[in-house]
Amino acid sequence: DIRDLFTDTMGDLLRGRALSSVLPLFHWLERWILQRADRVNLVSPGFLSHVRALAPEKDFRVYTNGIDERFLMESFEAPERKEGSLPLVVYAGNMGDGQGLHYVLPEAAARLEGQARFRLIGAGGRRGELEEALEKAGVTNVELLDPMPQEQLLRHYREADVLFLHLNDFAAFRRVLPSKIFEYAAMGRPLVAGVAGYSAEFLEREVKGSFVFSPCDSAGLVEQIVNALRHGMEARDDFRSRYARRSIMDAMAADILQLGQSSK
């Protein structure tokens, strides 16, 4: 069950570093595992070209991430804002190299002073650099909070006017389909995403009320937040039904049972 392309991602993250010398070993291990498997499940259709090159004769299946039951139980309505308060953009997740928030957010937040405020929830290896970049930009409309339990996170989602997602401009990330997309899309809020490749295609095809910009493009982030705020709430009943985690896991379980029966 392939949830991430380790060698692909590490090739970007470790480029030019001494640790990159161990990557050939992991490439060999990846090929060996794929070729020995009876069946391989992938979390993103974007992975298919990578794994087929390593094991072209294998039977690959795709079971994406999905929407947890907890999110499907919620009745999400438009947020109530106090008179005079600015619209709220919420980001929840890691703040590391893979997200690259320190490259895109400070400039965008500065340009949206007086028009929107940001609430960033999470931690990671680049949070310190993000904080320094925000301070250097002199912004006053960004709030940073530490990671929190899901129940508390839901409260912040309810308060949001826009939900924000960003991946760094790495070639490997053109294949991924982040689980956060499903969580965000279930909320009914406009979704602004700095992604490329398969994630961008998926959002434009599957998620109504999503606004995509190129990774690390601060001007694009500003433009799409403005567009999203004009758009408002979006019903996604078909999406919520199609990508309910229970339905996806039921199909995956049936597939595994069928494989077991066929091997007898």
Side-chain angles (χ1 to χ4, degrees):
D1 188 43
I2 306 298
R3 316 300 293 176
D4 202 355
L5 296 179
F6 179 81
T7 56
D8 211 22
T9 304
M10 288 299 104
D12 280 332
L13 293 177
L14 298 179
R15 184 170 288 116
R17 302 181 186 181
L19 277 174
S20 63
S21 62
V22 304
L23 282 176
L25 171 63
F26 286 102
H27 280 292
W28 175 86
L29 182 62
E30 179 181 45
R31 183 186 299 271
W32 179 78
I33 289 171
L34 289 174
Q35 291 180 346
R36 285 181 59 85
D38 292 298
R39 184 171 294 166
V40 180
N41 297 320
L42 307 173
V43 77
S44 169
F47 292 174
L48 282 166
S49 61
H50 178 90
V51 296
R52 281 175 174 160
L54 297 174
E57 76 288 355
K58 289 300 174 183
D59 182 14
F60 295 105
R61 305 297 174 91
V62 177
Y63 293 102
T64 66
N65 283 298
I67 304 167
D68 286 337
E69 193 73 20
R70 184 66 187 83
F71 289 89
L72 296 174
M73 292 168 57
E74 289 284 333
S75 175
F76 294 100
E77 300 176 354
E80 295 183 5
R81 285 202 308 274
K82 296 179 180 179
E83 187 175 350
S85 66
L86 296 175
L88 176 62
V89 179
V90 169
Y91 170 92
N94 195 31
M95 300 179 185
D97 270 326
Q99 292 68 44
L101 293 177
H102 51 297
Y103 293 127
V104 68
L105 194 62
E107 181 182 342
R111 293 179 61 177
L112 287 168
E113 284 270 13
Q115 300 177 61
R117 55 197 171 103
F118 293 81
R119 183 175 298 160
L120 314 179
I121 305 168
R126 297 295 183 179
R127 175 164 165 164
E129 289 186 39
L130 174 61
E131 292 172 336
E132 291 174 7
L134 290 169
E135 184 177 356
K136 184 176 180 180
V139 299
T140 61
N141 58 339
V142 179
E143 174 187 13
L144 278 90
L145 301 178
D146 292 333
M148 60 186 63
Q150 189 181 83
E151 286 301 318
Q152 294 181 33
L153 187 60
L154 283 167
R155 177 174 61 82
H156 293 284
Y157 283 167
R158 294 186 196 107
E159 294 176 5
D161 295 273
V162 171
L163 294 170
F164 167 51
L165 168 73
H166 187 260
L167 294 178
N168 209 340
D169 192 15
F170 293 155
F173 289 165
R174 295 177 181 273
R175 304 179 191 270
V176 303
L177 186 59
S179 59
K180 188 63 67 174
I181 285 177
F182 298 90
E183 189 173 296
Y184 278 2
M187 315 301 293
R189 271 85 179 134
L191 196 165
V192 172
V195 294
Y198 187 79
S199 291
E201 296 170 13
F202 181 86
L203 284 168
E204 291 169 352
R205 184 180 67 247
E206 299 283 347
V207 184
K208 298 177 182 178
S210 60
F211 298 83
V212 176
F213 66 98
S214 298
C216 300
D217 178 8
S218 295
L221 172 56
V222 171
E223 179 184 0
Q224 294 296 50
I225 285 178
V226 171
N227 290 337
L229 289 173
R230 291 173 180 157
H231 186 85
M233 298 287 289
E234 180 70 62
R236 300 183 180 117
D237 292 339
D238 289 347
F239 182 90
R240 286 159 60 95
S241 174
R242 187 161 59 252
Y243 291 102
R245 188 182 299 277
R246 180 180 296 275
S247 299
I248 294 171
M249 292 301 96
D250 284 348
M252 185 176 179
D255 199 11
I256 293 170
L257 290 172
Q258 184 273 329
L259 177 64
Q261 291 169 357
S262 65
S263 65
K264 291 180 181 180

